[in-house]
Amino acid sequence: IFSFIGIALLAGAMMFNNNTTSFLESAVSAPGTVVDLVSVRGENSITFKPVVEFATRDGQQVEFTSSMSSNPPPYSVGEAVDVLYLPDDVQNAKINNSAELWAGYWVTLVLGIGFSFVGGLMFAVSLLRKRRKNRLQRTGVAIEAKFQSVAANRSVSINGRNPFVIVCQWLDPASGELHLFESENIWFDPSSFIKSDTLKVWVQRNNPKKHHVDVSFLPKLKS
C-alpha cells in the first residue's frame, strides 16, 4: 500500500512538473497588483490568499485568486507583483514566484519519495524475514517451546493499530538457559486459535537467538 501510494504521488509530481513546464513555455508576463486578501478558514487557523488584478497585452482587465495561502499573508493589498498568464486562457494566471509555480511539484515529490522509501523498506524487511524463515527450516532445528502469552507489539503502529505477537519460551537442556521467542507480527488477535501448550520454533543450530515461531496453523487474514 505504501509503495502504491508512493508511486501514485511520484506520478502526480511528474504531472505537476510537466504542467508547470508547459505553462512556463507558453505564458507571458504582465505587471499586476494585489487588490484584496481572501481569508481561508481551516480547522484551527485562518490563512489568506491574494487576489490579483492585471491587464493583458490587448488591454483586457483580469482578476484572479492565487492558489497559495498563508498567515501572515504572502502579500499586502496594493503590492505590485509579476503575473504569468496564458494568452488563450487568461484566467489561468499565476503570480510569478517559485512557491506558487512549484509548490505542488515539490510537495508531491517529497511525499512520493517518502512513501516509496517506507514501502520499499517494508518489502525488503518482509523479504529478508521470509528468506531467514526458509533458511531456518532447511538448516535449523525444530524445537517445541512452551506457549507463554499473546502480546501487543507497541513498537509498531499503523493507523493507530498495533499488531500482536505470540510469546513462548524454551529451556535449552544443554546450557540450562531460558530463551524467549516472539513470532512475526500478526494483524489479528491469535489467542483463540492457539489450542496447544507448545509451539514449534525453528532455531539456528547453536544460536537460538535466530529463530522463527511457526504460525502456519493460524488462519490467513483476508485483505
Side-chain angles (χ1 to χ4, degrees), residues 60-118:
Q60 181 182 357
Q61 292 292 320
V62 180
E63 185 176 285
F64 72 94
T65 302
S66 170
S67 60
M68 298 293 294
S69 65
S70 65
N71 192 0
Y75 302 96
S76 57
V77 174
E79 184 173 350
V81 294
D82 185 33
V83 174
L84 294 175
Y85 71 95
L86 299 177
D88 57 350
D89 184 12
V90 294
Q91 290 299 326
N92 187 6
K94 301 178 185 294
I95 298 175
N96 186 11
N97 65 48
S98 57
E100 177 140 354
L101 293 171
W102 294 102
Y105 167 73
W106 284 112
V107 169
T108 52
L109 179 65
V110 170
L111 288 175
I113 292 173
F115 273 90
S116 298
F117 175 78
V118 172

Side-chain angles (χ1 to χ4, degrees), residues 3-72:
S3 297
F4 177 79
I5 295 174
I7 292 171
L9 286 168
L10 290 175
M14 186 179 299
M15 182 182 69
F16 271 115
N17 178 72
N18 293 339
N19 289 345
T20 301
T21 301
S22 177
F23 174 82
L24 291 174
E25 289 174 350
S26 305
V28 295
S29 177
T33 304
V34 177
V35 295
D36 195 8
L37 295 172
V38 177
S39 61
V40 179
R41 185 175 298 275
E43 186 175 348
N44 297 310
S45 63
I46 297 177
T47 57
F48 299 90
K49 289 184 176 183
V51 178
V52 178
E53 187 178 79
F54 70 98
T56 64
R57 289 182 176 179
D58 59 5
Q60 181 182 357
Q61 292 292 320
V62 180
E63 185 176 285
F64 72 94
T65 302
S66 170
S67 60
M68 298 293 294
S69 65
S70 65
N71 192 0

Side-chain angles (χ1 to χ4, degrees), residues 83-195:
V83 174
L84 294 175
Y85 71 95
L86 299 177
D88 57 350
D89 184 12
V90 294
Q91 290 299 326
N92 187 6
K94 301 178 185 294
I95 298 175
N96 186 11
N97 65 48
S98 57
E100 177 140 354
L101 293 171
W102 294 102
Y105 167 73
W106 284 112
V107 169
T108 52
L109 179 65
V110 170
L111 288 175
I113 292 173
F115 273 90
S116 298
F117 175 78
V118 172
L121 183 62
M122 293 173 68
F123 176 78
V125 170
S126 176
L127 184 62
L128 289 173
R129 287 176 176 173
K130 185 176 181 179
R131 288 182 176 179
R132 185 182 67 178
K133 178 184 74 174
N134 293 337
R135 184 170 61 251
L136 286 172
Q137 290 176 337
R138 290 196 313 269
T139 63
V141 179
I143 61 172
E144 293 294 323
K146 185 178 180 182
F147 168 67
Q148 187 176 36
S149 64
V150 171
N153 184 359
R154 303 295 182 185
S155 64
V156 177
S157 178
I158 297 180
N159 293 331
R161 295 178 57 232
N162 303 107
F164 295 90
V165 293
I166 298 174
V167 182
C168 49
Q169 63 182 25
W170 174 67
L171 182 65
D172 187 345
S175 64
E177 294 179 340
L178 184 66
H179 297 275
L180 289 177
F181 303 125
E182 286 188 358
S183 71
E184 62 195 64
N185 290 325
I186 304 165
W187 290 97
F188 62 92
D189 189 347
S191 301
S192 60
F193 301 101
I194 302 174
K195 307 299 183 182

Side-chain angles (χ1 to χ4, degrees), residues 198-219:
T198 60
L199 297 173
K200 182 187 291 186
V201 180
W202 296 90
V203 297
Q204 188 178 84
R205 297 177 186 274
N206 302 320
N207 188 10
K209 290 183 179 180
K210 294 186 177 181
H211 63 274
H212 172 71
V213 178
D214 184 10
V215 293
S216 58
F217 63 91
L218 292 176

